[in-house]
Amino acid sequence: MQAAALRRHLLDQYHISPSSSAAIAAFRSAAQPALGPQGLGGADGARYMSARAPAVKGAGHLVRKGTGGRSSVSGIVATVFGATGFLGRYVVQQLAKMGSQVLVPFRGGEDSHRHLKLMGDLGQIVPMNYNPRDVNSIKTAVAKSNVVINLIGREFETRNYGFEEVNHQMAEQLATISKEHGGIVRFIQVSALGASASSPSRLLRAKAAGEESVLKEFPEATIMRPATLIGTEDRILNRWAMYAKNWGFLPLVGGGSTKIQPVYVVDVAAAIVNSLKDDGTSMGKTYELGGPDVYTIRDLAELMFETIREYPRYVNLPFPIARAIASPREMLLNKVPFPLPTPSNFNLDQINALSVDNLVSENALSFADLEIKPHKLKGYPTEFLVCYRKGGPSFGSTVSEKMGSADVAPRF
């Protein structure tokens, strides 16, 4: 009633006949598809309107706005469980830079998620305190989301959390809640390369059980199996370099002959985000994400020593001796009234995992199926190790080479 009265008032004030107003309205409705935001037309208008078109099935028919940067709207509202971890920060960054809103459930202190808030536009990174054992807390975290990504994982057991609960039961619970939600169009479960019910590693057996439970509860889920992750905050090269700096040598379990396929963490994050951009072809599928090169443990250690510019010194540890060194923590874990130190180089479950090679399967879906070319490790992906050089980032043979060059001024 009020809208009709206001319309009559405007028509009388500006002496516009009803037939003329109807013609203007018809013209506007006809011209609207050619207009972008702020009245843009032509090429700019077409560009904006194409970005505002409904998204494809893979993103759940979401409405996108903008040109694709961090200030755009991708239409994705993603809850990323495990976002405060190593891989999590890179997944959040990839989502945020395309204009997605990212909900970050955390169970630590207020500083645990602080570094993530800078990765997106104002208000796009939303931290939420939650309890992984509280169903209502999880439901609150996914209430307004259309995408759920599960990065929760633990490579060692503690007094409070075991492999089975963290890697299997929590994944199953998230998949169940996401399916009951009704509005979750994509569920990404990040597992681990080598996950199998027959693996000598309890972690990998729990990961395999988690995959099976997720697909049972949410058949459209996408499973990602990344190999050993390499990057600035990794838990392999950093630990090796620190150990070598402190003790002057590096222990190699089983002589370092186990073959692995380490992968740059940024490539894995890009694969996760690319699976959300497709037309739904990745739904219900499993991808094995390994790097372009196969390394033995010794080869990877050689790369580490080369980067930190230290002479490589090794101590070969047969598997029985390595297990004997790592076993006391596992035996005492739930028998002493205080928490035990975090295992670093001597983790019994990782030692068991190293007893077999861990490579991408021959016919498995991989990076190529997600239109990604993974980086080689030698170079930029391992450049962070320069912080371990005893004479600073420029310490080593490169200094001598530069001093012998005419491009470098002599020092006095």
Side-chain angles (χ1 to χ4, degrees):
M1 295 290 291
Q2 293 179 350
L6 178 61
R7 180 173 178 272
R8 285 194 299 270
H9 173 73
L10 292 175
L11 292 177
D12 294 339
Q13 181 177 358
Y14 293 101
H15 307 290
I16 300 175
S17 65
S19 59
S20 298
S21 66
I24 293 173
F27 172 78
R28 284 179 175 172
S29 63
Q32 187 64 32
L35 297 177
Q38 291 83 41
L40 291 176
D44 287 335
R47 178 183 61 167
Y48 275 91
M49 290 309 298
S50 63
R52 295 174 64 190
V56 294
K57 177 182 177 182
H61 304 284
L62 309 175
V63 176
R64 299 169 177 162
K65 298 180 181 179
T67 56
R70 60 183 272 150
S71 296
S72 303
V73 176
S74 71
I76 294 175
V77 181
T79 300
V80 183
F81 291 91
T84 56
F86 174 33
L87 175 59
R89 67 179 65 204
Y90 295 94
V91 173
V92 170
Q93 188 266 340
Q94 294 268 357
L95 288 169
K97 77 175 185 180
M98 60 184 278
S100 304
Q101 187 173 49
V102 185
L103 285 76
V104 179
F106 70 97
R107 63 183 185 88
E110 292 294 327
D111 290 340
S112 62
H113 59 267
R114 184 172 58 179
H115 59 287
L116 300 175
K117 297 188 71 174
L118 304 175
M119 295 179 179
D121 209 354
L122 185 63
Q124 291 295 87
I125 309 297
V126 184
M128 303 181 68
N129 202 334
Y130 94 116
N131 181 352
R133 290 171 173 161
D134 181 3
V135 173
N136 291 329
S137 173
I138 297 174
K139 289 182 177 180
T140 301
V142 303
K144 297 184 179 180
S145 300
N146 48 41
V147 171
V148 172
I149 302 175
N150 180 28
L151 306 178
I152 297 176
R154 173 77 75 168
E155 61 185 8
F156 59 89
E157 292 185 300
T158 66
R159 290 160 53 86
N160 297 320
Y161 291 97
F163 286 138
E164 184 67 19
E165 180 180 8
V166 173
N167 300 291
H168 175 197
Q169 296 172 9
M170 288 185 183
E172 181 180 18
Q173 186 179 52
L174 289 179
T176 302
I177 292 173
S178 298
K179 194 64 177 179
E180 293 174 352
H181 180 284
I184 304 297
V185 294
R186 297 301 303 270
F187 187 99
I188 309 292
Q189 168 69 15
V190 177
S191 182
L193 186 64
S196 169
S198 60
S199 172
S201 164
R202 293 174 56 217
L203 166 66
L204 295 179
R205 293 199 296 271
K207 287 288 189 183
E211 292 179 12
E212 183 179 353
S213 297
V214 165
L215 290 175
K216 180 180 178 180
E217 299 294 335
F218 203 115
E220 303 85 8
T222 302
I223 307 295
M224 297 290 181
R225 291 180 174 177
T228 302
L229 296 175
I230 302 296
T232 305
E233 305 85 8
D234 73 28
R235 292 186 286 271
I236 179 168
L237 295 184
N238 278 300
R239 289 177 177 175
W240 286 359
M242 184 63 70
Y243 194 98
K245 294 292 291 182
N246 289 339
W247 302 100
F249 69 92
L250 183 68
L252 291 180
V253 177
S257 60
T258 307
K259 294 180 181 179
I260 60 174
Q261 208 163 337
V263 61
Y264 188 32
V265 63
V266 173
D267 295 330
V268 175
I272 292 172
V273 174
N274 273 20
S275 70
L276 297 176
K277 296 179 181 178
D278 64 20
D279 58 356
T281 55
S282 64
M283 298 173 72
K285 295 181 179 178
T286 299
Y287 294 83
E288 296 190 358
L289 308 178
D293 300 316
V294 175
Y295 289 81
T296 63
I297 296 296
R298 189 183 185 95
D299 291 337
L300 192 59
E302 291 281 353
L303 175 60
M304 181 273 295
F305 275 113
E306 179 184 347
T307 307
I308 68 173
R309 294 176 180 163
E310 295 279 354
Y311 185 79
R313 296 181 179 88
Y314 304 109
V315 172
N316 293 329
L317 283 180
F319 279 103
I321 296 178
R323 291 189 181 102
I325 295 174
S327 293
R329 181 186 185 275
E330 307 301 320
M331 292 166 40
L332 299 174
L333 184 61
N334 294 312
K335 296 180 180 179
V336 295
F338 52 84
L340 295 174
T342 299
S344 54
N345 288 284
F346 294 100
N347 182 333
L348 182 59
D349 194 76
Q350 289 184 344
I351 292 171
N352 290 333
L354 288 175
S355 62
V356 295
D357 295 338
N358 194 8
L359 304 175
V360 173
S361 305
E362 184 177 352
N363 298 319
L365 298 174
S366 60
F367 280 114
D369 299 282
L370 295 169
E371 300 181 353
I372 293 175
K373 183 179 179 181
H375 293 77
K376 289 183 173 293
L377 291 190
K378 190 172 183 178
Y380 180 75
T382 54
E383 198 173 77
F384 65 92
L385 290 173
V386 300
C387 67
Y388 294 101
R389 294 175 184 170
K390 63 182 179 182
S394 298
F395 173 79
S397 59
T398 301
V399 176
S400 301
E401 293 166 3
K402 287 183 178 180
M403 291 305 295
S405 172
D407 298 331
V408 180
R411 297 181 180 178
F412 296 98

